[in-house]
Amino acid sequence: MANLSLAELRSILSSRSEANAAIEQLFPNTELIDFLGALQKTTSDRATVTSNPVHEIDSLLSQLETVQQLGQSPLIAVSGLLNAGKSSLIASFLSPENRGRVLVGTGNQQGTHRFVIWLPSSWQQQTLIWQRWLDQLSLAFGKPAEWLSQDPATAFAQYNGQSFSEYSTYPTNTGDAESVNRDLGSSNETLRTLEIPLLATDAGLDQLGVGLIECPDIQTGILGSSSSTPWEDSDIPEYRRKLLSQAAKLCSAFIVVTKLRDLHDRQTERLLSTLKDAMPGLPRILAVNLVRRRYSPSEILAESHSLMSRYEIDRLYAAYDYRGDQLRERLPPIPEEFATQSIRGESTHHPIFFRLDRAPLNDSAPRPAPEDYLIRLGRQLNQSEMVLAWRMSLAQQLQQQILLGKEHLLQRIKMQHNVLSEVRQEIVAGLLTLIAIRDEQGEANEIRLQTSKQIIGQINASLHRTAPWWAWPSLMVDRTVAWTKESVSAAAKSLMPISSVQQSLKGVKDWFRQSDRSQVLTADRLRKELRSRLSDHLGREWNDEKWLQICQEILDRFQSENQTLLPATQLDHWASNIWHNMPWSKRLTTGLVPVASVFAPLAAVILIPFDFGGSTVLVFASLKELVAAAGIAGAWAAFSGNPTPAVAEQEAAWQQYGDLVAITLDAFGIPRPSTESETPRVRLARSNRKLPSSTLKTRTKLETHPQPIWQIRTAFLKQLERFKDLPTLIITSHSNIHR
């Protein structure tokens, strides 16, 4: 396939076009979202610079672009454990005039608590390359580099963790650097200055051909005398390892300095593991320092073998402790570079590292080949191969981060749908708890009908339509009764004594308030039930008032929009049976007085909300419960052996239940089910039944912070198929550009 430039790759990852967008948002509005944008939306606010996936990808893209521009300018990291000799090794590569600026010592006040980058002086003369290095340092550490002072005392203070804003590499605005240092704070100053690398140049590195970066110890630090937290239990080692991982992305090779006794130390392995994970595939060199002369080269090699194999170490060097008079024949010849210094009277107390893994050496008097001294590393490493390996490692990590990002989005989408399904199911179950009729085992057996004014009016109209001849005189009187929430009270009072109305209302309310007949649904009852079920997913920041407001809106909307009615034909059949089964004593009474006096308790159901201050409440009751509460003679006989009204009632109640669920979903900003697989199942009468869909218009309340619903796009997944060999595509594309 065609090569892929970094510009094209960046465009694909940040595009919202039909061809390249990663995510299609389905709810609450439809839109296309790019890959990096989707990752950013799903990244925790607590993500740091070193753990933000978007920053990782953007950083790797920028570093790859810069690597292509830097040319043959590799950087080697020198890391190691406390007092292993990193600074001494760095100093051995530098020119004499700069060695005095390197802090060397074994005390805590001689420790390296900053990243110190030494670059060849010639690089500073190449304006473009130099500026790109400054940009890379700022990108990797999140802060601009600071010049290492020419004054040794100040340089030592910088090495040891202090910062001086006047040395910032900001080209024009030192005020920004001052604010950075002002923000460090006294208690965390040593920790925070780790993020500000030190920068210096040295002409002696021009011959080496590479830059060096001295890394601080990851297992040490200045906690302060007031700290009681053990080093390993603090967050400092992890903090330093993260910064080391970021700094490692600037490097083409790594030298890890350790003592022989620390080869199998846990910290050594953690350091090697950090470097291997940060930049896989790059050369790693193990330098064993201050070896006691009683150990022969073959013993050092044998002791290091397992570590080299496990962490894919390419080279092994060792340096004997030059102090003492015993077995001095094991000290290798002083290389020419150090011998010249000795003639000039300069100190030569630098570790003399020589290679052990290339050719067998005499154990008694090792005499390494001239090219096997570490001081001549620049002649041994192929800079073109180092830069190519550097680019390849970054490209491999970029590929890994993109694939990890894809998996992250897939998991996030799966979690979205799982949470959505769980929330829907909890709402379905919560509402069922409030309106279901349960059997002796506590299983939901039926759903109660919401006795709306339309339902009560239907019952009244059906009773009028089906009334026998002997009730007609009463019906003539009763013609003016209006069965509505607003007028039923006045109508009932005009046809019945006040005491009779009050008694009917009290009887109905008492019947509904019995412990096993909790059919009056208030906003507060709804709030308690839903909040207990949904608070893990919704409305964590809402107070009781907010929850109550939403629940009241649910009841208000259901009262306003629910238009479910009972089938008129089946209702008339049921009403006829009531008349037919009415006792003779009641028939005579009914024929002489208005029908309203017999059926007035039904009107009392509509009056119940007024007992709650006029706020909307929903009254749920089966027809059996309703007529039982009203005490209508002949009603129970009408149910006996006649399944017709029960079936009609359950279908109506079932549809009301579906509408109530839909309105509740809208109120909480949750999308309604759109497919068969998304539709919740309800366990009713010991069988599972699919929730009915609602024909009510969707009215999602965006102010309730609806959870977005995504799906990953097939077109983007096909794009990712192109990235299976991303490193080769990028490297080849770069090679073609510079051919």
Side-chain angles (χ1 to χ4, degrees), residues 423-579:
V423 169
R424 283 178 180 148
Q425 200 65 50
E426 287 293 342
I427 288 175
V428 165
L431 293 176
L432 185 65
T433 297
L434 294 170
I435 65 176
I437 300 174
R438 299 184 178 274
D439 59 21
E440 294 178 354
Q441 286 73 40
E443 295 283 343
N445 206 28
E446 296 178 29
I447 294 178
R448 288 184 170 94
L449 189 70
Q450 194 265 320
T451 54
S452 63
K453 62 183 180 182
Q454 294 91 342
I455 296 289
I456 297 295
Q458 262 197 297
I459 295 173
N460 178 61
S462 181
L463 288 168
H464 279 65
R465 282 196 305 269
T466 60
W469 63 268
W470 47 263
W472 290 352
S474 177
L475 293 177
M476 297 298 293
V477 179
D478 199 28
R479 187 172 296 170
T480 59
V481 175
W483 290 81
T484 65
K485 181 177 181 179
E486 294 74 17
S487 61
V488 69
S489 179
K493 289 177 182 179
S494 68
L495 298 170
M496 299 171 59
I498 295 296
S499 60
S500 178
V501 173
Q502 292 175 340
Q503 185 177 359
S504 296
L505 180 57
K506 182 179 185 304
V508 171
K509 288 195 299 182
D510 290 345
W511 192 93
F512 275 102
R513 285 174 174 173
Q514 291 183 26
S515 60
D516 58 343
R517 297 163 182 168
S518 300
Q519 296 89 17
V520 179
L521 181 56
T522 66
D524 191 55
R525 283 193 66 208
L526 185 61
R527 174 191 66 82
K528 291 176 181 176
E529 182 67 29
L530 294 183
R531 190 173 190 179
S532 66
R533 291 176 174 271
L534 303 179
S535 57
D536 287 343
H537 300 299
L538 295 174
R540 294 187 182 93
E541 71 282 8
W542 297 343
N543 56 23
D544 284 348
E545 184 179 354
K546 178 66 173 177
W547 274 93
L548 198 61
Q549 173 195 339
I550 294 173
C551 290
Q552 188 63 62
E553 290 170 357
I554 292 171
L555 300 187
D556 291 342
R557 184 183 169 194
F558 185 84
Q559 179 83 318
S560 172
E561 298 186 16
N562 170 48
Q563 299 296 324
T564 303
L565 295 174
L566 295 167
T569 302
Q570 297 182 34
L571 186 59
D572 284 353
H573 182 70
W574 172 70
S576 295
N577 281 325
I578 291 180
W579 288 114

